[in-house]
Amino acid sequence: MEENQTSVTEFILLGFPLSPGVQMLLLGLFSLFFAFTLLGNGVILGLISLDSRLHTAMYFFLSHLAIVDVAYACNTVPRMLLNLLSPAKPISFAGCMTQTFLFLTFAVTECLLLAAMSYDRYVAICHPLRYSAIMSWRVCIMLAVTSWVLGVLLALVHLALLLPLPFCGPHKVNHFFCEIVAVLKLACADTHINETMVLAGAASVLVGPFSSIVIFYIHILCAILKIQSGEGCQKAFSTCSSHLCVVGLFYGTAIIMYVGSRYGDPKEWKKYLLLFHSLFNPMLNPLIYSLRNKEVKAALKRMLEKERA
């Protein structure tokens, strides 16, 4: 048994049980989505870095969100595409643990960044005269750094609890990447502490920030209703609607997966929900911000006109 526990060098990602023809179709489709994800977030990052009019707190956080989305997708999608091309191709133990760590890091960081963005909108609409003083660059950098640091630290805690566990077979992960709950099911030891930490971590980084976002937007809604000018009301709503769409997509799927359902639920639909969370969310975020945000569309128009000149 000890030899079996210490000889784990790779895992098999089962992915999705589909026919070869369907897998090839999904390979092409998901490759296209992945390209759109990289292109869309790359455009957002380029516009924010090159257009001085977008050098504000709101777009500072949006640039970090774009970086997280690219990293999020790059951590899970390439391996999924490889599995669709070559099913049952193993992933190394070190690669699996790295993928788990990075997924947790980026997921936690995005949760906290979305909360920071909602706080920025709250200050901008509810305290416009004090906005520059409250949302200084020092505060923005501190919020962004805190989001990244907490993401890394929480992921390290889960990784430190996961690495000592013995894995004595079978080494087949019922997922398209090394998701922590799916990996824990393969451990041949008591994982009660790990399961408790996953639930506690999910509750803290999902329910806590989401509750703060709800509170911020209640205050924002009250402030918008008090605005006398129709144009001012529309402008305030437009600056928040994009963020609300992103928050709804991200937190909605994450809470259903890790908080709103029974832990360890083996239902296949959770894999598809996490696929949406990992592939479609990062692709949709830049589309939402570019299509619903006048400043981003104006910056893109100026950039295209500058290229033609």
Side-chain angles (χ1 to χ4, degrees), residues 251-300:
Y251 277 94
T253 54
I255 289 175
I256 291 172
M257 285 187 298
Y258 291 104
V259 179
S261 61
R262 183 171 61 87
Y263 178 84
D265 191 346
K267 290 182 179 178
E268 200 75 9
W269 63 265
K270 295 184 76 174
K271 284 200 295 186
Y272 293 95
L273 191 60
L274 194 51
L275 174 65
F276 179 88
H277 192 73
S278 302
L279 178 61
F280 293 98
N281 270 9
M283 180 185 70
L284 292 174
N285 286 354
L287 291 176
I288 292 171
Y289 278 107
S290 61
L291 292 176
R292 298 182 62 87
N293 192 297
K294 293 181 179 179
E295 292 179 339
V296 172
K297 288 190 289 187
L300 181 60

Side-chain angles (χ1 to χ4, degrees), residues 2-126:
E2 287 297 323
E3 291 180 0
N4 289 336
Q5 290 177 2
T6 57
S7 61
V8 179
T9 59
E10 59 187 29
F11 291 102
I12 300 294
L13 297 173
L14 297 181
F16 303 100
L18 302 169
S19 65
V22 175
Q23 287 186 333
M24 289 299 102
L25 176 63
L26 291 180
L27 176 64
L29 192 62
F30 290 166
S31 298
L32 186 63
F33 290 159
F34 184 54
F36 282 146
T37 298
L38 299 181
L39 178 62
N41 285 285
V43 169
I44 291 289
L45 284 171
L47 289 175
I48 293 173
S49 61
L50 296 175
D51 196 317
S52 59
R53 301 183 189 185
L54 300 183
H55 292 176
T56 62
M58 176 181 175
Y59 296 103
F60 171 77
F61 290 122
L62 180 56
S63 66
H64 279 268
L65 183 64
I67 293 171
V68 171
D69 282 340
V70 169
Y72 207 80
C74 288
N75 180 48
T76 57
V77 177
R79 184 72 214 188
M80 179 184 66
L81 296 178
L82 180 61
N83 283 353
L84 288 172
L85 183 64
S86 179
K89 188 176 181 65
I91 181 174
S92 68
F93 180 83
C96 187
M97 295 299 105
T98 301
Q99 194 177 57
T100 301
F101 168 76
L102 292 177
F103 173 79
L104 292 171
T105 297
F106 300 139
V108 173
T109 301
E110 183 158 357
C111 282
L112 299 176
L113 281 175
L114 290 174
M117 293 173 74
S118 67
Y119 175 68
D120 170 69
R121 292 300 84 206
Y122 161 74
V123 176
I125 294 174
C126 297

Side-chain angles (χ1 to χ4, degrees), residues 181-201:
V181 175
V183 174
L184 282 175
K185 291 178 182 178
L186 305 183
C188 49
D190 184 12
T191 59
H192 178 72
I193 295 177
N194 302 76
E195 295 171 5
T196 302
M197 285 300 298
V198 170
L199 288 174

